[in-house]
Amino acid sequence: QTTLVESGGGSVQAGGSLKLSCAATGYSIRNYMAWFRQAPGKEREGVAAVWTNDGTTYYADSVKDRFTISRDFAKNTMYLQLNNLKPEDSAIYYCAAARLQPSGGWSSRYGYDWWGQGTQVTVSS
């Protein structure tokens, strides 16, 4: 059974930083993993992804150069470092994992099979 558990969310002021964690059980983080976020009244959107053993990474334009995705194989945990946070980054952040390479691309929510419960990130101005 695959489970994903996020942690690390919180409330910060604009310009601050957070580090989110996604601990996986029953799934190897060497496969296809991603972070998504969903703000109230908005669609769930892809933020970043890291795929396969070679660690190819993808980022949404809105977070490029501010967020960094990484993995710790020993802990079977994926991370998302959030720097220079902006109020528009406020959302529930979810980690996701796929059994096979998502056919719709890294940012398509429909390509992922398992989801965590989410962790809230709130950025105040």
Side-chain angles (χ1 to χ4, degrees):
Q1 181 179 358
T2 296
T3 59
L4 305 173
V5 179
E6 302 100 332
S7 61
S11 297
V12 297
Q13 291 190 325
S17 298
L18 287 171
K19 187 172 185 177
L20 308 183
S21 300
C22 173
T25 57
Y27 179 88
S28 171
I29 64 169
R30 296 177 184 269
N31 294 319
Y32 303 94
M33 297 196 75
W35 286 98
F36 285 74
R37 67 185 180 187
Q38 188 166 19
K42 294 191 175 181
E43 292 290 317
R44 189 169 298 190
E45 64 173 353
V47 175
V50 57
W51 281 9
T52 70
N53 208 40
D54 67 7
T56 302
T57 57
Y58 305 90
Y59 293 95
D61 288 342
S62 59
V63 306
K64 207 170 291 184
D65 299 326
R66 299 190 298 122
F67 292 7
T68 303
I69 193 169
S70 62
R71 299 177 294 183
D72 184 330
F73 296 137
K75 296 181 178 180
N76 210 42
T77 299
M78 177 179 67
Y79 302 97
L80 187 67
Q81 178 69 44
L82 292 67
N83 295 330
N84 191 21
L85 282 159
K86 304 176 180 181
E88 52 264 40
D89 294 318
S90 296
I92 298 175
Y93 283 70
Y94 299 90
C95 69
R99 185 179 293 109
L100 300 173
Q101 181 173 325
S103 58
W106 74 267
S107 60
S108 172
R109 59 182 291 188
Y110 302 106
Y112 293 88
D113 302 292
W114 298 282
W115 294 82
Q117 82 286 355
T119 185
Q120 178 73 49
V121 172
T122 303
V123 185
S124 58
S125 58

